[in-house]
Amino acid sequence: MAIISKDIEQAVQFLKNDEVVAIPTETVYGLAANALSEAAVSKIYEVKNRPRSNPLIIHVKGIEELETYTKNIPEVAFTLVKNVWPGPLTLLLEKKRIVPNATTAGSERVAVRMPDHPLTLALLQELNFPLAAPSANPFGYISPTKVEHVEKQIGNKIPMILDGGDCRRGVESTIVGFENNVIIIYRLGYLTEEAIKAAIGNQYEIARTTQTKPVTSGMLPYHYSPNTPLFLVDDLEKAIVDLNPEETGIVSFNKSFPAFNHCRILSEKGDLREAAQRLYASLIHLDGLNLKQIYCERLPDEELGKTLNERLTKASNKSKL
Ligand code: TXA
Ligand code: MG
């Protein structure tokens, strides 16, 4: 089983030896390895059982590293990162040759982000390479936001989990690319469209896309899915009226359902940030109870709620296949 520790030096040793280490970020735990080493990156794909066609985000220690790994960076990209980094924003930019094809799955673009977690930033300071890191879940499953999730999901396949406590944000970064004067959102994540607008002002258009090559996980038909069938509903009260409380898990935004023992309330005060922080942990908890089904309430479809609803739609698609 993996060593669970806050010891950065130990993580440095593993990473320098081309091993993988699970690392904390503010969004979700990542499964990290030397992004410049094909051998190390290859281990990430093996542990996650992830298709090799699905590229990895590289995690850097500072804004100045953007120019080490990418080229033809538009001005607006600098404006964005100055406002948001370290934080839940990933940029898709043209890669320099130093970034191996294995990391980008053959794409000429590389995804880059600077995570906002003190342990991982301290770790990056000790390394002379960036860390490739997808979320630390087996491919297709819910992303881990606690050490115990990582331990349970892949702890027997990796040497170490760097223990940074619970992730403060709880959903993945927002991924954006640039085309002329348009900012394209490939995956809506913790950073909302409103926050992007606030950072860049009015002279840029923001668009959503449904197509990339390689495909971004937000675009796969299902993802982030529990094994228990998950149903996303508008009116939870109505949807669960005839269901057996013993075999049904409930994820509610802010109301309690006392008849149901297995009910998780995301935020009693109705705060979307708190709901985001608790969402994956709630799903993972309920998924561990061997229930027949999980019913989850659609969140208010505004700001961060849009992100959470997109994730929940993907997560529930598996039960429709
Ligand atoms: O918050 C996050 O972004 C977390 C933490 C660990 O940083 N990472 C994360 O990585 O969510 P992952 O691999 O689970 O999701 C990243 C998505 C993948 O769907 C991948 O296809 C897409 O980013 N991606 C990465 N590089 C890309 C590229 N060069 N072109 C298109 N999509 C890319
Ligand atoms: Mg992922």
Side-chain angles (χ1 to χ4, degrees):
M1 279 307 274
I3 301 162
I4 298 176
S5 158
K6 296 184 193 304
D7 183 355
I8 290 174
E9 290 315 317
Q10 200 169 16
V12 166
Q13 286 318 313
F14 281 122
L15 292 164
K16 283 187 174 165
N17 287 326
D18 275 356
E19 290 296 335
V20 293
V21 172
I23 55 162
T25 83
E26 82 282 23
T27 58
V28 300
Y29 269 82
L31 180 61
N34 179 352
L36 307 183
S37 157
E38 288 194 23
V41 163
S42 179
K43 288 187 186 158
I44 294 179
Y45 286 96
E46 273 162 39
V47 170
K48 269 190 72 108
N49 201 8
R50 175 174 172 120
R52 302 260 168 180
S53 57
N54 198 341
L56 306 172
I57 296 175
I58 70 169
H59 295 70
V60 296
K61 54 179 157 247
I63 294 179
E64 62 291 345
E65 291 211 320
L66 254 188
E67 284 170 302
T68 314
Y69 303 111
T70 73
K71 59 187 181 189
N72 298 329
I73 308 165
E75 207 40 54
V76 62
F78 286 110
T79 310
L80 265 177
V81 295
K82 277 181 199 145
N83 273 281
V84 180
W85 279 8
L89 170 70
T90 297
L91 303 185
L92 270 180
L93 292 165
E94 278 179 57
K95 81 174 187 73
K96 283 191 172 166
R97 280 179 57 186
I98 182 174
V99 182
N101 289 332
T103 302
T104 65
S107 171
E108 283 309 310
R109 287 197 296 179
V110 61
V112 189
R113 101 170 181 100
M114 180 183 179
D116 188 12
H117 193 290
L119 266 190
T120 291
L121 286 173
L123 172 66
L124 285 165
Q125 288 295 342
E126 304 277 313
L127 300 170
N128 61 358
F129 48 80
L131 290 172
S135 50
N137 48 285
F139 184 68
Y141 195 66
I142 307 159
S143 303
T145 59
K146 293 173 182 282
V147 165
E148 69 203 55
H149 299 158
V150 182
E151 189 184 20
K152 199 163 165 215
Q153 292 178 16
I154 56 169
N156 59 350
K157 295 183 176 169
I158 62 174
M160 180 177 175
I161 303 170
L162 186 61
D163 180 358
D166 293 358
C167 300
R168 277 183 301 128
R169 301 305 187 204
V171 292
E172 294 85 347
S173 63
T174 296
I175 304 178
V176 305
F178 307 91
E179 262 171 45
N180 304 320
N181 270 357
V182 185
I183 293 173
I184 298 168
I185 300 179
Y186 290 95
R187 177 181 74 181
L188 193 59
Y190 192 84
L191 191 73
T192 62
E193 194 174 326
E194 290 81 357
I196 295 175
K197 274 203 185 112
I200 57 173
N202 283 333
Q203 80 250 51
Y204 293 93
E205 196 185 317
I206 299 181
R208 296 294 311 271
T209 188
T210 49
Q211 278 186 342
T212 48
K213 214 173 167 223
V215 168
T216 305
S217 60
M219 295 164 187
L220 294 170
Y222 76 85
H223 209 77
Y224 320 106
S225 300
N227 296 317
T228 314
L230 174 70
F231 300 93
L232 179 62
V233 296
D234 289 316
D235 187 341
L236 195 50
E237 256 159 315
K238 218 164 149 190
I240 63 176
V241 91
D242 291 326
L243 299 179
N244 178 346
E246 293 314 311
E247 52 188 32
T248 306
I250 302 286
V251 180
S252 132
F253 179 35
N254 56 2
K255 289 187 290 293
S256 67
F257 292 86
F260 286 74
N261 268 333
H262 312 300
C263 176
R264 293 306 237 209
I265 303 173
L266 295 178
S267 173
E268 270 160 21
K269 56 184 186 216
D271 175 36
L272 286 168
R273 287 168 192 265
E274 188 174 47
Q277 202 270 332
R278 293 183 182 167
L279 178 65
Y280 289 166
S282 302
L283 290 172
I284 291 171
H285 169 78
L286 293 173
D287 199 28
L289 300 180
N290 260 322
L291 300 166
K292 184 178 163 207
Q293 57 208 358
I294 301 169
Y295 272 70
C296 179
E297 181 174 30
R298 198 182 304 276
L299 295 157
D301 208 35
E302 58 193 36
E303 302 197 333
L304 197 46
K306 283 190 199 157
T307 300
L308 304 183
N309 287 336
E310 280 191 18
R311 297 310 153 90
L312 285 165
T313 303
K314 298 280 174 187
S316 62
N317 278 353
K318 198 172 175 184
S319 55
K320 295 182 200 139
L321 293 179

